[in-house]
Amino acid sequence: MEVQDKESLGRWDGIGSRDASSRTEAMENISQEVMKKVEIIGPLPALVPAPPAPGSPPKSDLNDILAHLLMLSKKCPFEDVREGCLRLLQGVQNSGVRIPRPLGNGPSRFIPEKEILQVSKVDARTQSIFEDAFSALGRLDNISLVMGFHPQYLESFLRTQHYLLQMDGPLPLHYRHYIGIMAAARHQCSHLVNLHVNDFLQVGGDLKWLKGLDEAPQKLQQLGELNKILAHRPWLLTKEHIEQLLKAEEHSWSLAELIHAVVLLTHYHSLASFTFGCGIMPEIQCDGGHTFRPPSLSHYCVCDIANGNGHLNHHDDLLRNQEVCGEVEVLMERMKQLQECRDDEEASQEEMATRFEREKTESMLVVSAEEDECVPSRDISRHFEDPSYGYKDFSRRGEHVPTFRAQDYSWEDHGFSLVNRLYPDVGQMLDEKFQMAYNLTYNTMATHKDVDTSMLRRAIWNYIHCMFGIRYDDYDYGEINQLLDRSFKIYIKTMVCSPEKTTKRMYESFWRQFQHSEKVHVNLLLMEARMQAELLYALRAITRYMT
Amino acid sequence: MEKMSRVTTALGSNTISGRTMFCHLDAPANAISVCRDATQVVVAGRNIFKIYALEEEQFVEKLNLRVGRKPSLNFSCADVMWHQMEENLLATAATNGAVVTWNLGKPSRNKQDQLFTEHKRTVNKVCFHPTEVYMLLSGSQDGFMKCFDLRKKESVSTFSGQSESVRDVQFSMKDYFTFAASFENGNVQLWDIRRPDRYERMFTAHTGPVFCCDWHPDDRGWLATGGRDKMVKVWDMTTNKAKEIYCVQTIASVARVKWRPERKHHLATCSMMVDHNIYVWDVRRPFIPFATFEEHKDVTTGIVWRHQHDPHFLLSGSKDSTLYQHMFKDATRPVDKANPEGLCFGLFGDLAFAAKESLINSDANRKPYPGGDRRYPIFFFKKADPTEQFTHVSSVLNVFGTDLESNRMDWFVRTAQLYLLSGKPFAELCDHNAKVARELKRPRVSTTWTMLRIMFSDPANLTAPGLNHSHSKLGNLPLMNSFSMKDMGTGMGAEGRLERSKGELRQDNMHLEPGNLHINNNNEENEETEGSEGQAEYMFGDAELDDDDLYSMEHDNQMEEQEYILPPEAFPLRHEIIDNPSAPEHLQQDKADSPHVSGNEAEVMCLTPIESFSLISISQPLFSPHLPASFFCPIVREMLSYYAEQGDVQMAVSVLIVLGDRIRKEIDDLTQEHWYMSYIDLLQRFELWNVSNEVIKLSTCSAITCLNQTSTTLHINCSSCKRAMSNKGWICNKCHQCASVCAVCHHVVKGLFVWCQGCSHGGHLEHIMNWLKISAHCPAGCGHLWFSFSV
């Protein structure tokens, strides 16, 4: 499946061009070819009304093409291509071949399609970002579409990702994608794994490696341990781990390669968090993104109902809004109070320390309540992991997360210098991305305008770092308790520590009055904060190794 | 550590003395500060806050300010400062945002005096006013600076940087009201303490955070800043616009910078990451630190000069939990280890050499500046400065222009291209190569080839060609010799000089670091040329077996005489080369066409009667006809080593390949591999990819042949859909079009395909070559200009 997918991708390149005429030409080529193929197998489905078996060898190639066309007709940022694809699909259907339809609506399982920016209706800036992304990759993935709520961030994100995967760097291209797969697989994120399996093969990766980490070169296998620790318990990372990687004779890593790998790992761990946190749907052209079955009689697909994209939800939404009306106001009130009475009751130092410890311990327990409710995990990623190792076990055993003083090792002062020294330019990009995520604000909260949200953003950021044991001396962790309610904490905790368990219910149960774009914003914060936390631990270990 | 050096400095009434010493702290230090009379130092960190007395031999702990059962975060210090007027007064900046002052005069154990908790974020820096007792300034992560009057409970004024965190604040030493603040976004602001509403001026000093700044203690206009961008800059603030007057590039982000007292141009820096040393720079010599202290094992976090008028004592605290007093005289001076001479080859073989003038003048052989040649003397003068401790030195930079023709490696390239290494019978290969060498005016090499042929050929075949050629040669040789004489005459001046300089360089090289080795090699490559005739004597002396070859001996003597006058260079090759640029094509053609001729050796010989600069003009066998070839092996081996040692590894490898099994066993594998590697490396430098590939292919060392098996994957894109071609065959299976279509004839290219890496259009080699004769644009009509094409 993957192989075919990859092969068929090639021809789509022309339509990613910025030049309208070459797009038209490419579109022309595609339609000729598709119609040629349709003619070959055309008569068959015309005679037999039953839908052709989707897996039958002669058709599967065409099916992939059709699926791809479907994706383009929905998500290509170029108007003409979208229309062309639609016409072509129509033509194919008219000649009696079953065409696919998307399974589920829109890029996210959690966010109704109508809320998300339509590719057709975005402002010029977002449009150009989308176009760039499309020309670079020949696709516009659902993650970018959802991030499209925040174009400034998206731009920085895509630039960094592009640099990490495509531009100069110490690691060969297929290694980069493979590391991405390893990292995403750690969280059983089939969406990212699928995407990168395709890319991996495209850049000439060895199919054998995909059977499992055992088949990959020794060098990458060694990275497995780092991957595991970073994903679940980064605080356990020591300089011995680093040393093992760097001093492994012929399989050893160089420092620059290691930094590149670490950045990739953390990038994909946190991106997996985002993917689950926003309920990103499988890509239309990938497995599970489309179906050739005709819609069922009720006009609802099962999954539509399950993911709340059906109409039934409207009603529900209204109801809920009434229930929790005032949630936002309460939150704003609290923020105001905190700001004002800051000086009044200055907590003692011990009190502050206790507060931090309390948040930290509590954050351990938050998830356990939700534990039973487990999303069935796909086992696409089984090969890559050691399933017994996870955050869950750790919290059960009640181990203590050692405290990491942010003032002693911060991204701005230390992390940046190290990364930039060993992997030039990336430090700068990450720095910009972190700042972008941390400082992004529209000064709105739900329906309210001109709100200073810095306090809230800081609380979220610090709460995530707190879960990783990172403590800011200058922060009163009591604020977190005031600003983040339990359901929100559950969501954060799940998303950061075991993202595969995030459910739609969790997504909906926090901040119910807020808009989806704001929830995506929260997700961005979570993602970046997590990435920075992991990076800090990894870089600290490397620094310790170096000194 | 136990350096017993002792220095005593008299400073007014005070006397400071001491030695390099250190003590262990219990915890990493974040900052240190000394009291005014330089007798005590305070060390502050997350878990430490102590005062040490500086005694002659050691540090003595005087006071632990970290009291209480469970010390609060107020003790977790990011910065500390001892007041320079009031010796009982200290201030600390806490990581939790508190600014605390301490009064050592308090009778109780807890010396905490005032506590200001106005900052919301970590306070990065505190600074007392240099002359005002009660004025304290703080700068915090929250972007605000606050000025406190210690007699009041609250700050008297707040300055908003309108930006990200403040990393450093410093009162000006001379201007009562002015202070400077440095920011995380790269800006530096100047404020007037009386006007909290707006900064006086602002400029961008660095890209990325400015971690530190320091006013010059004497010169009121100078401000030094250090940033994450690894630079230290000195700004002249007296002009309207802050002007960067000095810039020092360090190897890691700069955490602290402190001007050295009593030395106008010196400052000390330490870095935040990776690099643990403390450097003292002379800002006018920004490339090499003036002095380095290398004692710390982890990053240095605080540096301070012990006394504000004594430049000899530096104190430092570090993350490795030690506190050091460094004596300046114990510092390492990187300058001493630096190489005072510089040497570099230019693109066209020019050689630049810079050295102290005295050094060069002392060279008796060197005439100062002979006019009319291409030596460009350039002087560097320094203005005399009474306080300057450096002797001013003038350096001379010599550029030795190589006479374009003489020193070129053309002969190398030619030889590489023209030599035949395989594909013909041994004798023919030798003859061919001999001819090549002769045409390139390398008679010795040529002779060697001929002799090889004689040594290793079947004696039966020997006589016929030998006879054939004796005539042509007779006319040739004298002519050539006179020619080279003439040439040598003209080229002599430059060569002679170059030769001398080489002799000198060789001496220098002995002092050079290993890093310069490649230069050395280069140098040797040049020497190859000179070697090529110098060896003649050796060669023939060795080859005594053909003693009846009078002709060659005569020739040899001539050469020797010439050598006496001239440096042995192989220069006389120029005009010939330029005059026959088309030669390689023909010869390569020859080579390509050769297979059909091979086999009937004798015939070929007859067809090409002018070949071979053969010295063997005898018609009778030289020696008893059946001397086994192995008899010569030791001599040949020696000869090969000799060539290789002389730098003509080309000869060594070529002979090795041509002789093949005849000699291979005689030479150990490592040496062979070494030769091969050197030759391949040279070939690749000259971009002779085909030749290098041939050599790799023909080599018999496993280590060499496997070179051809690494990175053999060539990724190609389909020219129509621009996707990577993933499978074999001519059809791109993504767009189902023939991927490699000739842009000229529109047929699929099978075989040699040449294409442009820019637009991925291309085609049959001949078609493209023809096309390029008429147009520089891509024949596919994509508009791409193929100027970078070298066919």
Side-chain angles (χ1 to χ4, degrees):
Chain A
M1 170 67 208
E2 277 97 12
V3 185
Q4 285 162 0
D5 225 297
K6 166 205 161 203
E7 285 168 358
S8 59
L9 272 172
R11 88 193 68 203
W12 309 105
D13 235 33
I15 49 179
S17 161
R18 282 179 169 285
D19 171 34
S21 61
S22 61
R23 287 203 301 266
T24 324
E25 195 185 320
M27 199 64 227
E28 203 59 41
N29 282 340
I30 292 171
S31 40
Q32 273 172 16
E33 242 173 86
V34 171
M35 291 320 278
K36 222 182 294 168
K37 290 202 177 206
V38 167
E39 270 160 36
I40 299 172
I41 52 148
L44 188 76
L47 292 173
V48 189
S56 65
K59 269 210 77 178
S60 64
D61 181 36
L62 178 62
N63 281 351
D64 286 339
I65 299 176
L66 291 180
H68 202 97
L69 280 175
L70 178 69
M71 181 276 280
L72 289 175
S73 71
K74 296 270 181 202
K75 300 203 301 188
C76 179
F78 298 106
E79 176 92 46
D80 49 343
V81 176
R82 282 201 303 273
E83 280 167 6
C85 291
L86 211 56
R87 267 201 309 277
L88 182 55
L89 280 173
Q90 210 66 57
V92 172
Q93 195 172 32
N94 292 343
S95 59
V97 175
R98 183 81 66 199
I99 60 163
R101 65 192 177 80
L103 211 59
N105 297 321
S108 163
R109 205 172 285 139
F110 298 165
I111 309 168
E113 193 180 9
K114 59 180 163 33
E115 298 268 342
I116 293 185
L117 296 170
Q118 299 293 304
V119 183
S120 45
K121 293 172 235 156
V122 289
D123 56 60
R125 178 169 183 198
T126 322
Q127 172 76 20
S128 94
I129 296 172
F130 279 172
E131 281 173 14
D132 278 341
F134 189 81
S135 342
L137 288 170
R139 61 161 191 254
L140 192 56
D141 50 25
N142 288 337
I143 295 177
S144 311
L145 277 178
V146 173
M147 282 183 187
F149 277 122
H150 307 283
Q152 297 159 296
Y153 174 82
L154 177 63
E155 200 172 7
S156 166
F157 172 84
L158 287 175
R159 189 171 54 231
T160 312
Q161 183 167 277
H162 182 250
Y163 194 93
L164 286 178
L165 291 176
Q166 259 100 34
M167 302 299 279
D168 291 346
L171 288 174
L173 291 181
H174 59 290
Y175 266 53
R176 306 183 193 185
H177 289 291
Y178 195 78
I179 292 172
I181 296 172
M182 282 170 70
R186 205 55 246 175
H187 286 307
Q188 300 167 21
C189 182
S190 55
H191 177 263
L192 288 175
V193 170
N194 274 336
L195 276 181
H196 284 281
V197 162
N198 285 347
D199 291 345
F200 172 72
L201 294 171
Q202 188 105 35
V203 295
D206 187 348
L207 193 60
K208 211 172 67 185
W209 296 10
L210 294 175
K211 288 192 200 132
L213 196 53
D214 299 338
E215 303 285 333
Q218 182 77 30
K219 193 168 165 179
L220 283 169
Q221 287 184 30
Q222 286 173 329
L223 203 61
E225 178 77 5
L226 182 69
N227 182 21
K228 198 167 74 178
I229 298 178
L230 263 185
H232 302 292
R233 306 175 201 174
W235 49 88
L236 294 184
L237 207 59
T238 60
K239 71 174 184 190
E240 280 74 27
H241 291 115
I242 304 298
E243 196 168 348
Q244 265 169 23
L245 287 170
L246 296 178
K247 298 237 170 101
E249 320 237 302
E250 80 260 47
H251 304 300
S252 62
W253 292 73
S254 74
L255 263 176
E257 286 174 330
L258 185 64
I259 291 277
H260 193 171
V262 160
V263 174
L264 279 169
L265 285 175
T266 52
H267 178 82
Y268 281 102
H269 288 153
S270 53
L271 194 56
S273 280
F274 180 84
T275 309
F276 284 110
C278 291
I280 301 289
M281 293 288 282
E283 298 293 331
I284 295 180
Q285 75 275 20
C286 289
D287 267 343
H290 60 272
T291 177
F292 284 86
R293 276 185 302 132
S296 59
L297 283 179
S298 62
H299 290 287
Y300 293 115
C301 173
V302 196
C303 35
D304 269 356
I305 296 168
N307 70 26
N309 268 331
H311 299 203
L312 294 173
N313 253 40
H314 277 285
H315 196 57
D316 206 19
D317 275 341
L318 282 176
L319 247 162
R320 221 177 328 108
N321 278 352
Q322 280 162 2
E323 265 173 42
V324 292
C325 154
E327 190 194 44
V328 183
E329 284 73 15
V330 172
L331 187 54
M332 285 174 64
E333 191 54 39
R334 283 207 187 130
M335 277 165 63
K336 213 159 144 199
Q337 270 174 12
L338 277 174
Q339 225 136 23
E340 280 163 2
C341 62
R342 198 158 211 293
D343 313 44
D344 296 357
E345 39 127 17
E346 192 55 48
S348 77
Q349 298 306 317
E350 281 138 79
E351 174 63 16
M352 297 284 257
T354 336
R355 280 180 191 171
F356 173 75
E357 288 303 327
R358 196 171 59 220
E359 281 306 325
K360 202 164 74 178
T361 351
E362 250 179 38
S363 75
M364 300 282 124
L365 306 171
V366 163
V367 142
S368 44
E370 294 278 331
E371 235 164 56
D372 304 330
E373 190 182 327
C374 212
V375 177
S377 61
R378 288 159 218 273
D379 45 11
I380 179 153
S381 49
R382 276 297 160 208
H383 320 288
F384 301 114
E385 46 185 11
D386 161 11
S388 60
Y389 195 94
Y391 196 90
K392 185 173 72 182
D393 303 325
F394 158 74
S395 60
R396 276 224 182 112
R397 269 187 244 133
E399 275 175 54
H400 184 73
V401 183
T403 303
F404 178 117
R405 301 287 191 150
Q407 266 80 5
D408 289 349
Y409 199 98
S410 69
W411 165 254
E412 288 80 12
D413 294 2
H414 307 92
F416 173 90
S417 302
L418 187 62
V419 172
N420 231 25
R421 186 186 181 91
L422 295 169
Y423 189 11
D425 297 340
V426 166
Q428 201 65 43
M429 288 186 188
L430 291 176
D431 199 38
E432 275 165 32
K433 188 157 71 93
F434 287 141
Q435 277 186 26
M436 177 65 72
Y438 190 84
N439 294 328
L440 188 70
T441 180
Y442 305 96
N443 293 319
T444 54
M445 272 177 82
T447 51
H448 300 264
K449 297 227 172 0
D450 296 325
V451 192
D452 178 10
T453 58
S454 58
M455 186 176 253
L456 191 57
R457 282 181 281 128
R458 191 167 168 218
I460 296 171
W461 188 275
N462 286 356
Y463 181 61
I464 292 154
H465 278 192
C466 165
M467 276 188 298
F468 285 97
I470 300 176
R471 179 178 176 190
Y472 292 86
D473 285 345
D474 52 0
Y475 189 68
D476 174 8
Y477 286 85
E479 281 183 28
I480 289 179
N481 241 352
Q482 303 264 320
L483 297 175
L484 314 182
D485 57 20
R486 188 172 161 75
S487 57
F488 189 30
K489 279 186 181 168
I490 290 176
Y491 178 74
I492 296 180
K493 173 74 183 177
T494 318
M495 210 192 105
V496 170
C497 297
S498 36
E500 61 277 8
K501 296 197 183 111
T502 318
T503 60
K504 184 165 169 61
R505 216 181 74 198
M506 288 182 203
Y507 177 83
E508 276 167 357
S509 59
F510 84 93
W511 278 15
R512 273 170 285 192
Q513 281 183 313
F514 283 74
Q515 285 159 15
H516 287 290
S517 73
E518 288 172 310
K519 291 195 175 185
V520 172
H521 185 176
V522 167
N523 267 293
L524 295 179
L525 265 180
L526 301 190
M527 172 167 107
E528 292 301 331
R530 173 174 184 198
M531 178 168 180
Q532 197 182 73
E534 279 186 23
L535 257 185
L536 280 178
Y537 277 108
L539 295 176
R540 186 179 64 164
I542 294 174
T543 309
R544 283 185 179 164
Y545 167 78
M546 288 167 73
T547 45
Chain B
M1 186 41 234
E2 294 302 313
K3 291 173 194 151
M4 291 311 291
S5 53
R6 230 164 270 225
V7 169
T8 309
T9 322
L11 285 160
S13 55
N14 290 337
T15 306
I16 296 178
S17 65
R19 60 188 186 103
T20 295
M21 60 185 183
F22 78 105
C23 75
H24 284 291
L25 310 172
D26 313 325
N30 276 347
I32 59 173
S33 185
V34 274
C35 74
R36 187 172 129 98
D37 59 7
T39 55
Q40 295 178 70
V41 57
V42 57
V43 183
R46 170 172 295 285
N47 294 312
I48 183 173
F49 190 19
K50 283 182 181 171
I51 291 177
Y52 287 89
L54 289 156
E55 298 192 349
E56 196 140 313
E57 298 286 329
Q58 62 196 8
F59 291 101
V60 176
E61 183 178 330
K62 289 276 281 204
L63 187 62
N64 187 356
L65 289 156
R66 214 177 143 79
V67 291
R69 197 169 33 86
K70 206 176 174 197
S72 81
L73 273 180
N74 292 343
F75 286 98
S76 167
C77 307
D79 190 35
V80 63
M81 177 147 182
W82 204 315
H83 203 294
Q84 293 303 301
M85 306 283 295
E86 174 58 65
E87 63 180 22
N88 279 332
L89 194 55
L90 287 123
T92 59
T95 50
N96 64 351
V99 174
V100 194
T101 59
W102 311 81
N103 185 355
L104 301 182
K106 270 194 174 182
S108 66
R109 260 189 79 219
N110 188 351
K111 310 284 188 195
Q112 181 170 330
D113 192 15
Q114 293 243 53
L115 178 68
F116 305 98
T117 53
E118 294 181 36
H119 284 295
K120 291 200 185 69
R121 303 285 303 271
T122 300
V123 179
N124 286 320
K125 192 77 191 172
V126 284
C127 183
F128 281 113
H129 195 279
T131 49
E132 201 59 48
V133 177
Y134 295 109
M135 200 184 288
L136 175 68
L137 191 65
S138 67
S140 154
Q141 198 77 13
D142 59 14
F144 291 102
M145 295 141 279
K146 284 174 188 288
C147 181
F148 301 96
D149 184 330
L150 299 185
R151 292 160 295 196
K152 295 180 183 162
K153 284 251 178 301
E154 283 169 6
S155 62
V156 287
S157 46
T158 300
F159 310 86
S160 166
Q162 306 283 352
S163 82
E164 293 162 85
S165 3
V166 186
R167 297 308 298 241
D168 200 355
V169 284
Q170 291 288 342
F171 276 109
S172 166
M173 291 295 194
K174 302 286 177 188
D175 294 332
Y176 185 89
F177 296 111
T178 309
F179 72 90
S182 74
F183 290 83
E184 203 146 86
N185 59 6
N187 288 341
V188 170
Q189 295 178 353
L190 282 199
W191 289 81
D192 187 315
I193 201 83
R194 296 160 297 186
R195 291 197 53 195
D197 53 329
R198 211 191 126 66
Y199 54 79
E200 299 285 291
R201 66 206 286 196
M202 174 167 88
F203 61 94
T204 304
H206 293 266
T207 52
V210 187
F211 286 136
C212 50
C213 60
D214 195 32
W215 290 96
H216 197 282
D218 302 316
D219 195 321
R220 72 178 59 202
W222 284 15
L223 179 71
T225 59
R228 194 170 71 179
D229 58 2
K230 307 181 192 169
M231 293 204 257
V232 180
K233 293 181 179 175
V234 179
W235 304 87
D236 184 357
M237 309 296 285
T238 49
T239 47
N240 285 345
K241 202 165 169 269
K243 199 175 79 189
E244 181 187 326
I245 45 176
Y246 295 110
C247 177
V248 177
Q249 181 92 42
T250 69
I251 58 166
S253 51
V254 182
R256 310 263 169 179
V257 55
K258 282 272 176 272
W259 286 102
R260 187 174 175 204
E262 311 284 299
R263 293 288 184 277
K264 185 173 175 187
H265 290 101
H266 287 195
L267 48 77
T269 66
C270 63
S271 84
M272 188 160 272
M273 277 291 288
V274 191
D275 185 17
H276 310 156
N277 298 343
I278 302 165
Y279 300 104
V280 178
W281 301 88
D282 185 308
V283 288
R284 295 161 304 172
R285 312 175 110 214
F287 305 108
I288 297 183
F290 176 69
T292 311
F293 300 101
E294 294 163 338
E295 280 85 358
H296 285 298
K297 307 262 185 315
D298 201 338
V299 283
T300 311
T301 48
I303 46 175
V304 64
W305 295 96
R306 184 168 161 189
H307 192 277
Q308 50 186 332
H309 294 292
D310 185 339
H312 300 294
F313 296 83
L314 180 70
L315 299 169
S316 69
S318 156
K319 280 247 165 84
D320 64 5
S321 305
T322 54
L323 173 67
Y324 259 93
Q325 169 168 280
H326 307 278
M327 294 295 303
F328 209 82
K329 54 177 287 202
D330 294 338
T332 33
R333 304 296 184 100
V335 179
D336 297 344
K337 293 184 200 149
N339 177 11
E341 282 103 37
L343 177 67
C344 188
F345 267 108
L347 185 60
F348 299 107
D350 287 0
L351 178 73
F353 174 65
K356 237 174 14 185
E357 195 185 17
S358 51
L359 205 83
I360 289 180
N361 285 341
S362 68
D363 183 352
N365 283 336
R366 186 180 295 273
K367 277 169 248 145
Y369 322 112
D373 75 343
R374 298 185 54 203
R375 284 175 59 179
Y376 309 112
I378 299 167
F379 287 90
F380 299 102
F381 282 118
K382 280 206 166 122
K383 266 188 221 146
D385 182 344
T387 64
E388 178 58 72
Q389 73 239 64
F390 304 117
T391 52
H392 44 105
V393 172
S394 55
S395 307
V396 178
L397 173 68
N398 289 311
V399 176
F400 300 95
T402 46
D403 205 355
L404 273 178
E405 314 299 324
S406 61
N407 214 32
R408 283 229 299 245
M409 294 286 282
D410 274 358
W411 62 271
F412 177 87
V413 178
R414 287 281 151 204
T415 314
Q417 284 169 339
L418 297 178
Y419 267 4
L420 284 185
L421 300 178
S422 67
K424 284 194 182 185
F426 169 72
E428 267 181 70
L429 292 178
C430 287
D431 283 345
H432 174 91
N433 294 345
K435 181 188 164 211
V436 168
R438 195 188 56 214
E439 282 179 357
L440 291 170
K441 301 279 183 281
R442 305 175 69 207
R444 195 172 50 91
V445 174
S446 172
T447 313
T448 310
W449 279 112
T450 314
M451 286 171 47
L452 281 172
R453 181 176 64 89
I454 295 164
M455 288 177 191
F456 290 93
S457 280
D458 221 352
N461 288 340
L462 224 149
T463 42
L467 276 171
N468 270 342
H469 299 310
S470 51
H471 303 288
S472 57
K473 176 208 66 190
L474 278 169
N476 257 350
L477 190 59
L479 190 74
M480 193 192 77
N481 267 346
S482 67
F483 198 91
S484 52
M485 292 262 272
K486 190 181 77 197
D487 259 7
M488 284 168 183
T490 55
M492 180 179 155
E495 297 313 321
R497 271 192 305 281
L498 189 64
E499 185 46 31
R500 274 202 302 281
S501 78
K502 262 183 195 153
E504 189 184 303
L505 290 182
R506 243 170 265 130
Q507 283 177 345
D508 294 335
N509 284 345
M510 291 173 205
H511 311 292
L512 292 183
E513 303 286 329
N516 284 330
L517 271 179
H518 63 279
I519 293 174
N520 219 342
N521 281 342
N522 245 338
N523 203 4
E524 264 164 30
E525 278 158 32
N526 277 355
E527 282 166 37
E528 266 171 62
T529 31
E530 77 192 75
S532 52
E533 278 165 81
Q535 273 70 285
E537 168 196 22
Y538 170 92
M539 201 28 242
F540 286 95
D542 228 8
E544 280 163 71
L545 40 129
D546 33 20
D547 42 351
D548 49 350
D549 190 349
L550 292 171
Y551 203 89
S552 77
M553 291 309 283
E554 203 178 298
H555 169 67
D556 183 29
N557 287 338
Q558 279 178 2
M559 293 306 284
E560 271 197 13
E561 273 171 24
Q562 284 168 13
E563 266 177 55
Y564 189 69
I565 318 162
L566 293 170
E569 288 277 348
F571 18 68
L573 34 116
R574 30 208 137 151
H575 306 299
E576 284 73 14
I577 294 162
I578 292 164
D579 287 343
N580 56 357
S582 57
E585 273 80 14
H586 295 311
L587 279 161
Q588 269 175 347
Q589 215 90 44
D590 268 348
K591 176 181 155 191
D593 294 338
S594 63
H596 70 274
V597 211
S598 68
N600 46 354
E601 202 180 327
E603 245 178 65
V604 181
M605 285 310 179
C606 301
L607 288 174
T608 55
I610 37 148
E611 298 311 306
S612 170
F613 177 167
S614 170
L615 301 166
I616 317 299
S617 51
I618 16 106
S619 47
Q620 76 275 25
L622 305 173
F623 35 81
S624 57
H626 293 298
L627 253 183
S630 61
F631 173 81
F632 302 109
C633 283
I635 297 163
V636 175
R637 188 182 62 210
E638 261 178 70
M639 174 205 64
L640 290 186
S641 315
Y642 183 80
Y643 271 117
E645 253 161 57
Q646 287 303 307
D648 191 358
V649 75
Q650 179 176 48
M651 185 64 187
V653 172
S654 304
V655 171
L656 199 58
I657 291 176
V658 170
L659 285 181
D661 285 335
R662 296 178 187 90
I663 190 72
R664 209 172 61 225
K665 297 177 294 292
E666 296 288 319
I667 298 165
D668 70 302
D669 287 349
L670 260 175
T671 318
Q672 288 192 33
E673 190 182 322
H674 182 64
W675 291 350
Y676 274 118
M677 287 309 270
S678 328
Y679 187 39
I680 290 166
D681 185 43
L682 271 173
L683 288 172
Q684 293 183 343
R685 279 181 198 218
F686 282 98
E687 304 187 348
L688 296 163
W689 312 113
N690 288 339
V691 183
S692 104
N693 213 34
E694 192 189 353
V695 168
I696 293 175
K697 206 173 77 192
L698 291 173
S699 80
T700 42
C701 301
S702 54
I704 303 296
T705 40
C706 74
L707 283 180
N708 254 1
Q709 280 139 38
T710 53
S711 61
T712 51
T713 323
L714 183 62
H715 295 278
I716 51 174
N717 284 350
C718 168
S719 60
S720 50
C721 69
K722 306 232 169 54
R723 279 282 169 174
M725 297 270 286
S726 49
N727 64 347
K728 297 146 201 99
W730 310 109
I731 305 209
C732 168
N733 54 356
K734 286 155 210 153
C735 61
H736 295 275
Q737 294 207 337
C738 291
S740 38
V741 177
C742 175
V744 180
C745 71
H746 298 282
H747 288 299
V748 174
V749 187
K750 300 189 177 175
L752 272 185
F753 183 56
V754 58
W755 72 98
C756 168
Q757 294 181 343
C759 64
S760 46
H761 291 115
H764 293 100
L765 181 59
E766 314 103 83
H767 292 171
I768 298 295
M769 279 169 79
N770 288 335
W771 175 267
L772 283 175
K773 286 177 192 153
I774 50 170
S775 167
H777 286 272
C778 173
C782 68
H784 194 255
L785 195 61
W786 278 3
F787 55 87
S788 59
F789 237 94
S790 54
V791 178

